[in-house]
Amino acid sequence: MKNNNLQYRHLKEKFVFSILGLTLLAAVGILGLIIYFIFSKGIGVVDLEFLTQMPTNGMTEGGILPALLGSFYLVSGSILFAAPLGVFAAIYMTEYADKSKTLRMIRIGVNNLAGVPSVVFGLFGLSVFVKFFNFGVSILSGSLTLGIVILPTIIRASEEALMAVPDEYRHASLALGITKWETIKRVVLPASIPGIITGCILGVGRVAGETAPIIFTAATFYTANLPTSVFDEAMALPYHIYALVTAGTSPKQVPLAYGTAVVLLFLVISINLVATLIRNHYGRLND
Amino acid sequence: MRKSFEHQLEDLNQDLLKLGSMVEERIHKAITALKNKNDELAQQVVENDDEIDDYQMEIEQECINLTALQQPVAKDLRRINMVSKMATDLERIADLAQNIAEIALELSASDYVKPLVDLPKMGEIAQEMIHDALDAFVNSNADKAKEVAQRDSKINDLDEQILRELLTYMVEDPKTVQQSNDLIFVSRYLERIGDHVTNICEDIVYIITAERVSY
Amino acid sequence: MMENETKTIEIKDLDFYYGDFQALENVTFDIPENKVTALIGPSGCGKSTFLRTINRMNDLIDGTRVDGDVIVEGDDIYKDEIDVVELRKEVGMVFQEPNPFPKSIYDNIAYGPRAHGITDTEKLDEIVENSLKHAALWDEVDDRLDQSAIGISGGQQQRLCIARALAVDPDILLMDEPTSALDPVATAKIEDLIDDLKEEYTIVIVTHSMQQAARISDYTAFFLMGEVIEHGPTQKIFEKPENQKTEDYITGRFG
């Protein structure tokens, strides 16, 4: 009797674990499938020339250099804009603001900002940066728009990193007769910088793949010249894929699109990997 | 480790030694006064007894403080308790020396039936015992403490010898009864001093070995 | 009782509130210079709260309120014109759990002086060495000042925290159960250190251990339900306390 019961329980356990295992396998499988699909279709065209040459012959041949560079400028610009803003906002929210209703409202607002569809940011960028500030369709407008897209990510990551710094450090410093700002500068920020950097890098990974926010603000279908100033329009990897596929005049363009996707995917995965490595590295040090 | 506690224990040792040497001096003075009919010396012993009492109480208070504030255990606990007890024994010895000095004052007017030889000898032995016992205490030398305790038998032997001798004097000449009786008391006081020193030796052995011995 | 001693801290009619809860009531006593004053009492009796009124660390908690006077070296520290930052330079604090910064041993000690504007390397070296020597830690760490302070033992960390407090040259040291996270050997080292430090500093220590208070302090204040039941020389408190509640507490017959 007892034994039967035991066997039954074991069987049930096994069944549940199997189901859970299968679900996990499915998720990983789908991811693997995507990567395999993209790589198998696109890896053939990726070589050094593909990365370092201008597109030629009506974008049916040649490389993706301008899109690669354009993405690089846009992402760098967005981080330069969003990181300081996000970090300072997070410092204010965690260290200075009263734990009041207003702060809760602001936090809810920031979280909601993260959920806004990215095309809406694109429209916002168009009306504010392109039109109102008259920056035109440019790297500047695109960077600022992308910056706003990742601002919530950076604020939340920074907030969490700051809150993870034990209060003991703050108290120890304040008890030495050191001002709050000096305490933040000398103890809290250094201790939270790995978390903040990780957040920023994850943000970079996200905006590198964003298409909608730059369609109206920065990206151009094709340009023969590399950008020379922040007021130039630029090509970008995700939009380049979109352009290649939708233009659809030549069947030669489809492998090029997959090749571009391979590069983009590779970049995003690498960036996330770096973020993970940094986090693990500092995680170990702080233990 | 526990530096201040160590210092306080060291102070306690020093205080006990001081008390010991004060008591030694007292015996010496009392016996000398008796032997040389020195009233002045005897008077000193009688009058300065308060000094010893105060010092003994001071040591006792130190022991109470250390017990209350330092939570002594093991050897420290034995030491502090025994020092308190040893101080009491020393104080009793001083009282006995005072009794001897009082007799010295009484007898100073009359001539002794014979020169005092054995009583001063007993006094000397008792003094040495105190001195050596405290030496054993300071050096944590249990063997020496045991050896000192053995010397008490010499004092006991002398005490009996003196008793017998003085009894013969008393039988021979009733006029000596008063004086002989007084000297028998002195002998008895010195014998009791020997017993107190033996107690002290037993306490020292207990501090060092944690074993109770009795001689 | 303290006629011959200089009062470093005077507390007069001190009340303290967390919101509506009154944590301290009518606390009045003096803390003499260059002595160790121990604060004892059961958990929640207000002894830690009281300690934190002396360097105004309670200010960090929202919704607290103070009535009465805390006079440190002649200044009422709850007056408006008092600069809390300056106050905390004079009144150092050591916490219950050792809390070194995740920096090197050297940087931990140099932290305070640097933040207060000292940049001269030689001067910093000197401060670091002196502070570590004062905290009886120099001999144990002088060959690895550049190593992380997180890597040394708990007892060493706590002495490091004491050294860190000494580095900004305070007059008063507050200690909030500084040995409660340490083993007996490390505790004995800290207690020896406290005994040495009182030559130069006034020390106020909160301790859970009555035995510790007995061992290391010159004066003891017994707190109960936010009130000081008895205050006096430690020897008197532990040998002939005046108040029955004090006696019940120190003899373990409380409640």
Side-chain angles (χ1 to χ4, degrees):
Chain A
M1 182 67 187
K2 265 186 180 170
N3 265 339
N4 282 346
N5 233 338
L6 198 67
Q7 264 173 357
Y8 170 71
R9 281 209 308 270
H10 277 203
L11 218 68
K12 205 166 105 179
E13 289 265 290
K14 268 188 186 161
F15 178 71
V16 171
F17 278 131
S18 309
I19 295 283
L20 291 173
L22 280 175
T23 348
L24 180 68
L25 210 67
V28 175
I30 291 168
L31 183 67
L33 215 61
I34 292 173
I35 293 174
Y36 171 77
F37 183 71
I38 302 284
F39 271 71
S40 66
K41 289 211 166 191
I43 199 78
V45 300
V46 179
D47 53 22
L48 197 64
E49 281 169 16
F50 184 69
L51 296 176
T52 57
Q53 290 195 345
M54 301 291 287
T56 49
N57 225 343
M59 293 208 301
T60 56
E61 283 168 29
I64 54 165
L65 181 65
L68 205 57
L69 265 182
S71 273
F72 175 75
Y73 290 144
L74 283 169
V75 167
S76 307
S78 67
I79 278 298
L80 279 179
F81 165 64
L85 201 65
V87 172
F88 280 106
I91 289 175
Y92 182 77
M93 281 160 70
T94 51
E95 307 290 331
Y96 284 98
D98 291 334
K99 311 277 172 270
S100 63
K101 261 188 191 157
T102 333
L103 185 70
R104 273 220 305 282
M105 295 296 286
I106 292 175
R107 193 162 282 146
I108 289 169
V110 168
N111 288 347
N112 279 334
L113 206 59
V116 172
S118 52
V119 69
V120 176
F121 284 111
L123 286 173
F124 173 79
L126 175 68
S127 66
V128 174
F129 301 125
V130 178
K131 295 274 158 62
F132 184 76
F133 286 113
N134 210 13
F135 294 152
V137 175
S138 63
I139 293 176
L140 184 60
S141 298
S143 293
L144 294 174
T145 312
L146 285 176
I148 291 175
V149 173
I150 52 167
L151 201 51
T153 317
I154 291 180
I155 291 177
R156 280 183 58 186
S158 305
E159 251 197 304
E160 262 158 44
L162 289 167
M163 285 193 288
V165 176
D167 270 346
E168 281 76 26
Y169 294 167
R170 295 181 179 85
H171 291 171
S173 176
L174 292 171
L176 289 168
I178 288 160
T179 58
K180 198 160 181 175
W181 171 239
E182 286 283 329
T183 297
I184 291 167
K185 204 173 76 182
R186 289 169 184 270
V187 179
V188 181
L189 266 183
S192 58
I193 213 79
I196 292 174
I197 289 178
T198 312
C200 290
I201 294 177
L202 288 174
V204 166
R206 161 133 194 244
V207 291
E210 282 289 352
T211 319
I214 55 173
I215 294 178
F216 321 120
T217 57
T220 176
F221 191 81
Y222 173 75
T223 165
N225 304 313
L226 295 177
T228 53
S229 97
V230 292
F231 293 107
D232 287 349
E233 342 174 86
M235 292 172 68
L237 287 173
Y239 188 61
H240 189 53
I241 298 172
Y242 172 77
L244 287 173
V245 175
T246 50
T249 46
S250 163
K252 278 188 192 166
Q253 286 178 329
V254 175
L256 289 182
Y258 279 110
T260 312
V262 166
V263 173
L264 184 58
L265 211 59
F266 178 79
L267 282 177
V268 171
I269 291 174
S270 309
I271 288 167
N272 286 352
L273 205 68
V274 169
T276 313
L277 286 177
I278 288 179
R279 196 171 44 202
N280 288 351
H281 180 68
Y282 282 102
R284 256 204 318 278
L285 276 192
N286 282 343
D287 276 345
Chain B
M1 283 309 210
R2 298 196 73 180
K3 282 181 286 183
S4 79
F5 181 41
E6 291 291 340
H7 286 157
Q8 284 169 290
L9 281 178
E10 189 46 45
D11 288 348
L12 188 63
N13 279 358
Q14 292 306 323
D15 289 343
L16 189 75
L17 289 186
K18 175 91 190 296
L19 181 64
S21 65
M22 283 161 77
V23 170
E24 258 179 72
E25 194 195 327
R26 207 139 296 220
I27 297 172
H28 180 74
K29 278 184 179 169
I31 296 291
T32 311
L34 183 73
K35 190 176 162 192
N36 301 339
K37 299 190 189 296
N38 185 337
D39 278 4
E40 201 190 328
L41 215 53
Q43 205 65 44
Q44 276 180 28
V45 177
V46 173
E47 278 168 8
N48 293 343
D49 193 49
D50 285 351
E51 198 189 354
I52 298 265
D53 288 352
D54 290 348
Y55 212 77
Q56 181 243 339
M57 278 201 280
E58 218 172 278
I59 290 178
E60 223 171 72
Q61 186 61 43
E62 268 183 82
C63 292
I64 289 172
N65 292 349
L66 283 169
T67 310
L69 302 180
Q70 298 289 352
Q71 308 95 38
V73 291
K75 195 170 193 166
D76 296 335
L77 179 62
R78 297 199 296 274
R79 172 184 292 265
I80 290 167
N81 273 296
M82 290 305 119
V83 164
S84 180
K85 199 160 157 271
M86 281 150 67
T88 311
D89 274 318
L90 286 172
E91 189 267 331
R92 301 305 280 278
I93 292 174
D95 283 349
L96 291 166
Q98 188 195 351
N99 292 343
I100 293 172
E102 277 161 4
I103 290 178
L105 284 175
E106 248 174 63
L107 295 180
S108 68
S110 50
D111 290 331
Y112 291 135
V113 286
K114 61 159 266 197
L116 301 182
V117 180
D118 287 339
L119 284 174
K121 204 193 225 170
M122 277 174 89
E124 229 169 83
I125 295 174
Q127 262 184 75
E128 268 172 25
M129 279 174 78
I130 295 174
H131 191 270
D132 291 351
L134 291 174
D135 217 39
F137 169 72
V138 171
N139 298 318
S140 289
N141 188 340
D143 291 336
K144 180 152 190 193
K146 285 177 189 169
E147 184 266 315
V148 173
Q150 308 292 350
R151 291 188 216 162
D152 187 39
S153 59
K154 274 197 259 174
I155 291 190
N156 290 345
D157 291 348
L158 279 171
D159 176 44
E160 265 178 52
Q161 190 185 317
I162 288 168
L163 177 65
R164 259 182 275 119
E165 199 183 329
L166 287 171
L167 276 176
T168 47
Y169 280 117
M170 283 154 85
V171 172
E172 274 170 19
D173 181 359
K175 272 186 285 187
T176 65
V177 168
Q178 179 64 43
Q179 191 191 93
S180 298
N181 192 38
D182 282 345
L183 291 176
I184 286 172
F185 264 108
V186 172
S187 173
R188 192 40 51 88
Y189 292 149
L190 286 167
E191 190 269 333
R192 296 245 302 268
I193 288 176
D195 290 347
H196 283 296
V197 184
T198 308
N199 285 346
I200 289 174
C201 289
E202 287 166 3
D203 294 343
I204 293 168
V205 173
Y206 177 63
I207 292 172
I208 300 164
T209 65
E211 272 167 49
R212 274 273 170 227
V213 287
S214 93
Y215 295 99
Chain C
M1 183 171 65
M2 293 181 207
E3 283 142 15
N4 303 322
E5 279 154 1
T6 323
K7 298 174 272 186
T8 297
I9 307 169
E10 296 165 71
I11 301 100
K12 288 179 195 154
D13 305 319
L14 182 71
D15 295 333
F16 187 87
Y17 302 84
Y18 293 107
D20 293 334
F21 174 72
Q22 182 163 12
L24 292 175
E25 194 179 338
N26 206 16
V27 173
T28 301
F29 69 98
D30 298 337
I31 294 174
E33 194 175 7
N34 290 16
K35 298 282 172 199
V36 178
T37 299
L39 313 177
I40 61 169
S43 294
C45 65
K47 56 193 191 296
S48 279
T49 301
F50 170 73
L51 190 76
R52 283 154 190 269
T53 58
I54 304 174
N55 65 345
R56 291 187 55 174
M57 283 300 273
N58 285 327
D59 290 10
L60 301 178
I61 304 165
D62 292 335
T64 56
R65 190 159 63 81
V66 179
D67 275 341
D69 303 326
V70 178
I71 296 159
V72 175
E73 294 176 334
D75 293 321
D76 187 341
I77 61 168
Y78 284 94
K79 283 276 186 304
D80 288 340
E81 67 267 20
I82 290 292
D83 180 357
V84 180
V85 169
E86 290 300 320
L87 168 71
R88 291 183 189 145
K89 282 186 200 170
E90 297 304 319
V91 186
M93 186 164 208
V94 176
F95 296 81
Q96 188 170 354
E97 295 275 342
N99 56 354
F101 300 125
K103 299 170 183 281
S104 73
I105 292 169
Y106 185 98
D107 289 341
N108 260 280
I109 311 293
Y111 175 84
R114 274 181 183 144
H116 293 151
I118 297 175
T119 48
D120 180 40
T121 334
E122 268 175 46
K123 182 93 179 120
L124 284 173
D125 288 351
E126 192 188 316
I127 292 174
V128 169
E129 181 171 341
N130 281 339
S131 306
L132 284 169
K133 279 181 174 162
H134 259 90
L137 189 59
W138 175 253
D139 294 339
E140 291 167 53
V141 299
D142 64 339
D143 55 342
R144 46 178 173 150
L145 294 176
D146 54 346
Q147 280 180 26
S148 169
I150 310 292
I152 57 179
S153 74
Q156 289 174 326
Q157 285 187 13
Q158 195 60 300
R159 276 178 287 148
L160 181 77
C161 292
I162 293 173
R164 182 177 62 189
L166 299 182
V168 298
D169 194 25
D171 293 335
I172 299 164
L173 264 187
L174 309 179
M175 299 187 169
D176 192 355
E177 298 186 36
T179 61
S180 66
L182 304 181
D183 67 45
V185 175
T187 299
K189 280 189 184 164
I190 302 264
E191 289 183 1
D192 278 352
L193 176 57
I194 289 170
D195 203 59
D196 292 339
L197 288 175
K198 74 176 179 188
E199 308 234 322
E200 289 173 63
Y201 306 91
T202 302
I203 296 172
V204 189
I205 179 171
V206 166
T207 173
H208 250 354
S209 154
M210 288 176 284
Q211 289 77 16
Q212 182 169 66
R215 284 194 296 269
I216 63 173
S217 69
D218 303 297
Y219 291 91
T220 298
F222 171 52
F223 281 72
L224 189 64
M225 315 265 287
E227 286 180 86
V228 174
I229 301 295
E230 191 167 347
H231 168 260
T234 299
Q235 191 178 314
K236 183 171 166 297
I237 298 272
F238 281 90
E239 284 171 21
K240 39 185 178 190
E242 274 168 17
N243 193 298
Q244 187 60 38
K245 287 177 190 159
T246 313
E247 176 136 7
D248 288 348
Y249 182 71
I250 61 171
T251 55
R253 291 177 178 79
F254 182 73

